[in-house]
Each structure stands twice: as C-alpha cells, then as structure tokens.
C-alpha cells in the first residue's frame, strides 16, 4: 500500500486518503493505457507519414500527445472526483449510452480479438519462419493472453506491461538512433506546416496513435491501482503525463525511422501490421540480422501489450457495464459507486469479466480462417469511428455538470482541449466512414 499522510475530509464529510507526495514510484496506470493504445498499426501509420513527408509533421505528433493527455486526465479525474466509474457516468446521461456501448463492445471485441492475435503472431512467424503457421501462433498468443489475465490481478498485470513498455521503448529509440536522426530537420518539423496532400496524415497523427476504447479504461486502471478518491489527483496527473510523453517519444522515433530510412530512399511499406515485417527486412538489409531481430522483438512487445491490455481493461469495463445493469434492475441507488470494487479486485474475479475474456479469445479465432465478413467490417468500422468523439464529448458533458464536484469540474483549458479533441475525432470519423468498403 502507498504511504499516506492520513486523511482529510471532502465537502461531503467523506474521508479522503492522500499520498505523502506525487512520486514517480506510483506511476503505472498511464503506462498501461499508453502501451495498450499504441498498436502495430499505429506505428505503421506513423512510419508512412514519415516516409511521405519526412520530419514536416513532427508538430502533429506533439499535439497528438497533448490531446491524449487531456482525454486520459479527464477520464481519470471523473473516477477520482466522483468515486464512480465512467460507465456509471455514461449511464446517467441516458439509456442511449447503454445501447451504444452494448452494441459497440460486442462487435468491436469480436473483430479486435482476431486482429490482436494476428498482430502478435506476425513477428513470431518472422523470427521463427520454420515453425508453426501464423494461425497457430495467433491462437497461442490469444490463449496465453487469456490465461495471464484470468489468473492474475492488476498488480502483476501492471508489472508485465511495464516490462513490455521498456522493451518497446528501448527498441524503438535504438532503431531511431541507428538510422541517425537529422536533429535540425526534426526541430524544424515542430513548426506547423501542411504540405500538399498531408491533411489526412496530419489528422491521423494527432488523433490516431494511442487513441482507442482503452483510453476510457484509464479510469478503471486508476481505481485498480488503489486510487479511488481526489486525494490521488496529483499522482494521477503525473502518471498520465509521463505515460503520454513516453508515447510521444515512440511516435517521434518512428517518424525519424520513416523520414531517414524510407523517405530518403523512396521506399514504401504495406499498410497495416504487415508493414512492420517490411521494415524488418529493410533493417536487415541495411544494418544486419541482429538489428532486424531486435526490431521484431519490439514489434511483438508492442502487439502483445495491446492484446493483454485490451483483454484486461475492456473486460473491466464490460464487467462494470453488466453489473450496473443488474443493479438498475434491482433498483439500487444511482449513487452506489463501484470504484472501490475495482480497487479491491472484485471485478477481475467476476463472471462478466471472465465471460468477456472468453468472448475476446475464442469466437474471434473463426476469423483467422475466414476473411472478415463484409457486413461485420462495415459495422465495426462505423462503431469504431464514432467511439472517440463519443468519449471526448461525453466527458465534456459529465465534467461540466453537477455530476462532478465543483472543484473538479473542467476549467477553460480542459474544455478547449476536450472540445477540440471531439471535433478532431468527428473529422477523423467522417474520413474513416468514407474509406469503408461500403
């Protein structure tokens, strides 16, 4: 347990535990959410932006980190200020949020499960080409993720995620240093410029990397860490900033690789996770097998951290969703919070948590043998495109209302950042819908 100064009283007379100080030793949930949100596809998108425009869009990566810091801080602030989970907040906005989330979490989980397993298997197949097939490795990684989350609780989960983040960080920074960044050009890239044809890549860099449903899970991981009230607000904010600054370094490093290794040589990558296999081959040709294999290890750490992060975080959200519905049917008071239950590990042992773990793992295995059904791809794309605007704009609603204690409501800066994020994600949503295979 963290060291405490004792307790103070909130305006309602509730005892609030407070840490001695905002210390680095408490950092954890932010690293988890950042690692989960940055997948292999995000890294490829960043590489492609660097390959097309060099260092010109570096400023967009920096703005993207600020946007993510604002969103995650808002989600964490809701949990700590109110003692209620984010789904409880959504539920208070009306029945429509429940309907949307129910449809979204079922379809999204089905398709994402197959995507995460395939992404984790790709670097293993590249490292061991004479071994089992991609489908076999995908099933193995899914089962390992299932067993790991099923039998462990948050403390162990956080430690493993921290190790995976360390591997990701060392590998990505090493590769960027290996290709040799142009320091002058990278600093010049901090000046906002939009080259011809770069608008969509710019919006993608700002809104895409580290931006998924797992951002909504941040508050749940904050509670799982044992932070359940406003006495932990400073610690949460430090945790969040460190995490997304780390994410920013990932993005900048991948832009450097794209700019130096691909842009200068006019080399192209395959879109999607397989683009990282292309990069591995390029690195092997340029810098040898050791660098290429090290990169593939980092690729695996990136993909597998996203897999177990979703298996844990979204299952927590699903458990909260199901249990909130059960309480509503029983007529439980609206102000019955569940943050303490998350902190106690109750939800990680619950039937809904484990049921969603199984849903993420076994039904998606069918998609490893079949092309994703056309209609499912369309529905999944529509729901996914709408989630980030939904998150940003509902946080604006919740944190400016009487549902949040007055001292923790949004200030001007928070409102500007969240509204800007919401509008940005609406634009990205429209573009994603246009690109769907209707």
């Amino acid at each position: 347990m963290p060291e405490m100064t004792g307790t103070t009283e909130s305006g309602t007379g509730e005892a609030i535990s407070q840490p001695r100080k905002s210390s680095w030793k408490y950092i954890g949930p932010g690293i988890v959410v950042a690692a989960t949100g940055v997948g292999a596809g995000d890294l490829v998108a960043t590489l492609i932006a660097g390959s097309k425009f060099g260092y010109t869009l570096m400023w967009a990566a920096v703005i993207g980190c600020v946007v993510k810091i604002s969103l995650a801080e808002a989600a964490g602030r809701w949990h700590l200020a109110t003692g209620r989970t984010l789904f409880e907040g959504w539920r208070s906005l009306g029945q429509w949020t429940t309907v949307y989330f129910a449809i979204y979490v079922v379809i999204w989980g089905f398709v994402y499960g197959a995507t995460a397993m395939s992404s984790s298997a790709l670097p293993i197949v590249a490292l061991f080409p004479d071994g089992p097939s991609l489908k076999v490795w995908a099933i193995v990684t899914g089962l390992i993720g299932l067993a790991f989350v099923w039998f462990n609780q948050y403390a162990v989960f956080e430690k493993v995620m921290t190790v995976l983040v360390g591997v990701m960080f060392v590998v990505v920074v090493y590769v960027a240093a290996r290709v040799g960044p142009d320091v002058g050009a990278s600093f010049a890239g901090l000046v906002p410029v939009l080259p011809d044809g770069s608008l969509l890549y710019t919006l993608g860099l700002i809104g895409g990397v580290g931006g998924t449903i797992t951002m909504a899970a941040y508050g749940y991981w904050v509670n799982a860490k044992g932070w359940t009230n406003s006495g932990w607000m400073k610690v949460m904010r430090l945790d969040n900033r460190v995490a997304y600054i780390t994410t920013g370094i990932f993005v900048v490093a991948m832009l450097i690789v794209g700019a130096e290794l691909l842009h200068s040589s006019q080399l192209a990558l395959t879109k999607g996770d397989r683009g990282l296999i292309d990069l591995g081959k390029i690195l092997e040709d340029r810098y040898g097998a050791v660098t290429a294999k090290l990169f593939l290890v980092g690729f695996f750490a990136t993909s597998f951290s996203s897999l177990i992060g979703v298996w844990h975080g979204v299952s927590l959200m699903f458990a909260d969703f199901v249990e909130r519905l059960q309480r509503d049917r029983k007529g439980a008071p609206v102000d019955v919070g569940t943050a303490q239950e998350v902190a106690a590990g109750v939800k990680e042992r619950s039937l809904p948590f484990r049921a969603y773990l199984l849903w993420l793992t076994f039904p998606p295995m069918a998609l490893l043998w079949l092309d994703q059904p056309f209609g499912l791809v369309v529905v999944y794309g529509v729901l996914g495109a709408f989630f980030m605007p939904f998150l940003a704009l509902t946080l604006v609603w919740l944190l400016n209302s009487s549902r949040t204690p007055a001292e923790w409501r949004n200030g001007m800066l928070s409102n500007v950042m969240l509204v800007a994020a919401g509008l940005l994600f609406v634009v990205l949503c429209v573009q994603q819908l246009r690109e769907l295979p209707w």
Side-chain angles (χ1 to χ4, degrees):
M1 291 293 293
E3 295 182 352
M4 307 303 233
T5 57
T7 60
T8 59
E9 286 193 354
S10 68
T12 61
E14 176 191 2
I16 298 179
S17 58
Q18 292 182 308
R20 290 190 182 278
K21 59 183 178 178
S22 180
S23 171
W24 293 86
K25 69 180 180 180
Y26 297 136
I27 289 172
I31 293 295
V32 170
V33 73
T36 304
V38 179
D42 296 309
L43 297 186
V44 172
T46 307
L47 279 167
I48 291 175
S51 70
K52 287 181 175 291
F53 303 104
Y55 293 95
T56 309
L57 300 181
M58 188 76 75
W59 61 273
V62 174
I63 291 177
C65 289
V66 175
V67 168
K68 302 307 184 307
I69 287 172
S70 300
L71 277 168
E73 187 275 342
R77 177 156 43 95
W78 165 264
H79 278 246
L80 295 181
T82 65
R84 300 166 68 189
T85 63
L86 187 54
F87 185 76
E88 288 180 281
W90 287 338
R91 190 80 175 88
S92 73
L93 299 179
Q95 186 70 25
W96 66 275
T97 59
T98 301
V99 173
Y100 173 80
F101 185 80
I103 297 171
Y104 176 84
V105 78
V106 171
I107 297 176
W108 182 88
F110 181 48
V111 181
Y112 181 82
T115 302
M117 287 186 274
S118 295
S119 179
S120 297
L122 274 171
I124 301 177
V125 172
L127 283 166
F128 306 104
D130 297 326
S133 67
L134 177 69
K135 293 182 180 67
V136 172
W137 278 121
I139 291 172
V140 169
T141 58
L143 292 176
I144 291 173
L146 170 67
F148 172 73
V149 176
W150 189 289
F151 293 108
N152 290 291
Q153 288 192 279
Y154 178 79
V156 176
F157 165 71
E158 182 189 287
K159 287 181 174 64
V160 172
M161 289 290 277
T162 301
V163 170
L164 291 172
V165 168
V167 173
M168 291 164 56
F169 186 88
V170 169
V171 169
V172 169
V173 172
Y174 166 76
V175 172
R178 194 81 168 82
V179 302
D182 184 331
V183 177
S186 61
F187 276 107
L190 296 175
V191 178
V193 174
L194 277 176
D196 291 341
S198 67
L199 179 59
L200 293 181
Y201 290 95
T202 302
L203 292 174
L205 272 180
I206 295 173
V209 180
T212 68
I213 188 176
T214 53
M215 292 202 70
Y218 178 59
Y220 290 84
W221 284 321
V222 162
N223 290 157
K225 181 75 169 176
W227 309 345
T228 58
N229 55 55
S230 59
W232 291 96
M233 201 70 74
K234 288 184 179 179
V235 174
M236 180 275 291
R237 285 169 168 164
L238 174 64
D239 172 74
N240 176 43
R241 289 166 189 164
V242 169
Y244 279 100
I245 288 171
T246 303
T247 302
I249 294 173
F250 290 156
V251 176
V252 168
M254 294 308 282
L255 267 177
I256 289 170
V257 173
E260 293 294 338
L261 194 61
L262 306 177
H263 181 68
S264 60
S265 304
Q266 297 298 302
L267 298 173
L269 295 181
T270 305
K271 288 187 177 180
D273 300 349
R274 291 182 181 273
L276 294 183
I277 300 296
D278 295 347
L279 180 60
K281 293 175 181 176
I282 294 169
L283 288 170
E284 183 171 7
D285 292 341
R286 293 285 185 90
Y287 304 107
V290 173
T291 297
K293 290 186 183 303
L294 182 63
F295 174 75
L296 290 172
V297 170
F299 177 4
F300 173 76
T302 301
S303 298
F304 192 67
S305 64
S306 292
L307 186 152
I308 62 173
V310 166
W311 264 228
H312 188 275
V314 183
S315 296
L316 272 180
M317 294 182 68
F318 182 78
D320 187 34
F321 160 70
V322 172
E323 291 167 19
R324 182 72 256 175
L325 293 183
Q326 292 172 341
R327 290 184 181 193
D328 287 347
R329 291 194 189 99
K330 294 175 182 177
V334 176
D335 62 353
V336 175
T338 54
Q340 288 75 19
E341 293 178 10
V342 178
V346 173
K347 292 194 183 299
E348 291 165 287
R349 297 187 294 270
S350 69
L351 178 61
F353 180 90
R354 290 179 168 174
Y356 195 71
L357 273 178
L358 296 174
W359 174 253
L360 282 167
T361 306
F362 290 106
M365 288 179 182
L367 296 181
L368 298 174
W369 274 267
L370 302 172
D371 291 332
Q372 296 174 4
F374 178 78
L376 189 63
V377 171
V378 172
V379 176
Y380 167 73
V382 170
L383 290 172
F386 274 99
F387 186 80
M388 290 304 285
F390 169 79
L391 174 61
L393 298 177
T394 53
L395 282 171
V396 171
W397 190 346
L398 290 170
L399 293 169
N400 283 286
S401 72
S402 59
R403 299 172 181 86
T404 304
E407 65 178 307
W408 299 116
R409 290 176 197 165
N410 278 357
M412 179 65 74
L413 180 60
S414 293
N415 278 325
V416 168
M417 292 304 302
L418 289 176
V419 170
L423 294 175
L424 166 69
F425 291 128
V426 166
V427 174
L428 288 171
C429 167
V430 171
Q431 180 58 29
Q432 189 168 344
L433 292 179
R434 290 177 60 189
E435 293 178 354
L436 284 173
W438 295 102

